[in-house]
Amino acid sequence: MQTTHTYDVLISEVGPRDGLQSVARTMATADKFAWIDALVAAGLQEIEVGSFVSPKLLPQMADTADVVRHARGHAGVTIMALVPNLRGAQAAMQAGVHKITMPISASRAHSLANVRKTPEEMVDEVRQIAALRDDIAPGVHIEAGISTAFGCTLQGLVPEDEVIALAVACVEAGVDECGLSDTTGMANPAQVRRLFTRLIAQLGDRAGAAHMHNTRGLGLANCLAAHEAGTRTFDASLAGLGGCPYAPGASGNVVTEDLVFMFEAMGIRTGVDLARLIAAREPLALGLPGEPLYGMTPLAGLPKGFAPQHYR
């Protein structure tokens, strides 16, 4: 989990997991390798390469262990995978991930639909996974992402006090960091600033990533609001692939290319080479021919005179 560049914000690329599990087709393993290689070449230093779930539920993720082993060949990159339960966590640790992320939904309805457990039962699962990590893979970093933190398509409003209380419970159960996810694309900048301010006040340096969706066109604005509140890690997906299969209508992760451009244009270092990042769309398109690819920056190009921050 070493870093190769200096950055002010960490861009965590989630496309190989969140993006690929949200499309109907399954990308060939060799094409996943090529795409991940291109993402690394662009300077991304944390990549969520897949999820350890039942292949009956998500056949797109059946080769995740192989993808982890390939990705680990890149020095200086944190290789991450999503796990919903203890069995998945054990498989992820055995495959050699550096970091696991767990979706812990603040919405009871979404939690039951997504992982078939209540939020309280998921906190118990966190406790068991943390104990397993301490036993068999003490170097593995555990992240919890509080899903539906800003609203739920199934439940509706999610009380902010419950979101913060759940995040605190996850840290007390053993996670190393806990972030907030706009799983359903319902967040607005004022809400994001308020919740991340509260999260950081409660958790300090254990407050984790902002995972925003662009469902209603507010993804970048919400990331900026989280940054203003003090967040320094942001999930994004190349070409905006992604969503949530258990949150109807929640399409569209924040586009990595647009997020990197926004920060770099503001003088905030990401450590990512924009030209190479845009070039990483090619292996994605080859692996999923015909799949819609999104992003304003690749379409418009970089402005004349644009000077990205120095990559060091």
Side-chain angles (χ1 to χ4, degrees), residues 203-218:
L203 302 185
D205 60 6
R206 294 201 175 198
H211 180 104
M212 298 295 160
H213 284 205
N214 200 42
T215 310
R216 292 170 176 82
L218 293 178

Side-chain angles (χ1 to χ4, degrees), residues 7-312:
Y7 53 81
D8 300 315
V9 294
L10 174 64
I11 305 299
S12 182
E13 173 60 47
V14 302
R17 193 279 302 177
D18 200 350
L20 294 185
Q21 77 171 29
S22 301
V23 298
R25 288 175 295 165
T26 298
M27 182 184 276
T29 304
D31 290 326
K32 291 184 182 182
F33 291 176
W35 184 27
I36 289 168
D37 292 348
L39 293 170
V40 173
L44 288 157
Q45 294 165 62
E46 181 171 285
I47 304 176
E48 188 180 37
V49 300
S51 58
F52 285 87
V53 297
S54 168
K56 294 180 180 179
L57 294 175
L58 287 174
Q60 303 95 320
M61 298 289 108
D63 59 355
T64 296
D66 292 331
V67 176
V68 167
R69 285 188 281 270
H70 173 83
R72 275 180 56 91
H74 293 287
V77 182
T78 298
I79 305 305
M80 178 169 60
L82 180 141
V83 304
N85 51 39
L86 184 64
R87 178 182 296 180
Q90 183 171 12
M93 293 176 200
Q94 290 171 341
V97 300
H98 301 126
K99 182 176 180 179
I100 62 175
T101 182
M102 295 186 63
I104 315 293
S105 184
S107 159
R108 189 169 299 268
H110 180 265
S111 187
L112 290 170
N114 191 34
V115 293
R116 300 178 185 175
K117 288 182 171 67
T118 66
E120 295 81 8
E121 289 171 332
M122 284 302 293
V123 172
D124 288 338
E125 199 82 10
V126 167
R127 194 171 291 110
Q128 294 178 57
I129 289 172
L132 177 68
R133 181 272 310 273
D134 294 344
D135 185 39
I136 70 170
V140 171
H141 191 89
I142 302 177
E143 171 193 71
I146 305 301
S147 306
T148 63
F150 303 93
C152 176
T153 52
L154 300 174
Q155 174 179 306
L157 296 177
V158 178
E160 293 183 5
D161 287 349
E162 293 182 12
V163 172
I164 299 301
L166 185 57
V168 170
C170 286
V171 169
E172 291 174 345
V175 304
D176 297 294
E177 64 178 284
C178 186
L180 302 178
S181 300
D182 184 23
T183 315
T184 57
M186 297 170 70
N188 66 74
Q191 181 189 25
V192 169
R193 188 179 295 107
R194 185 170 61 246
L195 261 177
F196 270 102
T197 297
R198 291 186 62 182
L199 184 77
I200 292 167
Q202 285 283 340
L203 302 185
D205 60 6
R206 294 201 175 198
H211 180 104
M212 298 295 160
H213 284 205
N214 200 42
T215 310
R216 292 170 176 82
L218 293 178
L220 288 180
N222 288 332
C223 285
L224 184 57
H227 183 268
E228 290 172 346
T231 304
R232 293 297 179 265
T233 302
F234 298 86
D235 293 351
S237 179
L238 196 83
L241 290 183
C244 177
Y246 300 103
S251 59
N253 281 295
V254 169
V255 176
T256 308
E257 303 93 301
D258 293 341
L259 183 64
V260 169
F261 173 74
M262 180 185 77
F263 281 132
E264 292 287 335
M266 294 172 65
I268 298 168
R269 295 171 299 175
T270 64
V272 178
D273 184 311
L274 261 171
R276 290 184 175 184
L277 185 66
I278 292 171
R281 294 164 69 95
E282 183 176 353
L284 169 58
L286 289 173
L288 289 175
E291 189 68 32
L293 304 182
Y294 303 99
M296 304 302 290
T297 301
L299 181 64
L302 299 179
K304 184 176 181 180
F306 173 73
Q309 300 307 296
H310 293 295
Y311 308 124
R312 293 185 290 172

